[in-house]
Every structure is written in C-alpha cells, then in structure tokens.
Amino acid sequence: MSTQADPGTQLVTVRYFAGARAAAGVEEETVRIARPGGEPVTVADVLAAVLALHDGRLARVVPACSFLLDGIAVHDHAVPVPEHAELDVLPPFAGG
C-alpha cells in the first residue's frame, strides 16, 4: 500500500539540526510537495515548502545552512529529490 495519496504530490522528510531545529520548532517533519505536470521535485522546492510552513526565524537560518539528501551533501538546489527522501538541514556548527 502506498502512503502517497495524490500522484501530483511527493512526500519528503525534512530533518533539522541545531539552530535550524530551534528555528523550525520541530526535529523533523514530512512535507507533501506539489509536482505540477509531474515535474521532478528539487531541493529548492522542498526548501520553499518548509519555509512556507514556518515563520521568519527559519527563513533567516536556511541561507547559511548546508544540506544532505539521503546522507549525501548537495550544493545545487536544482538537484532532484526522490520520493520519500530525507533532506537534512544543517546550520554552520561552531568549533572544529
């Protein structure tokens, strides 16, 4: 049985760490992202969706963050995101 109710959308789990977690107010969330015309969902689409769900605190943190898509660093926000992927939002860490 599929957990995807609408073929025009895609589910992605977003996990927040450190300051991003504090700004989002949650550790993780699953977001449903529209796929108009069946276009692939990108990292930019996921970020736009989560920013629409939260207040300006998260919007101030995200530009300084790095991202892991299913454990692999992504620098290009045009990278396609597979169904049921995990996107980690990592703010800069102090030290080390």
Side-chain angles (χ1 to χ4, degrees), residues 39-57:
E39 292 295 317
V41 170
T42 65
V43 170
D45 295 328
V46 177
L47 295 176
V50 298
L51 291 176
L53 295 172
H54 297 277
D55 65 21
R57 290 179 55 203

Side-chain angles (χ1 to χ4, degrees), residues 10-14 28-33 50 53 84-85:
Q10 178 172 320
L11 297 174
V12 178
T13 299
V14 181
E28 74 175 45
E29 61 191 334
T30 299
V31 294
R32 185 177 297 276
I33 303 172
V50 298
L53 295 172
H84 301 292

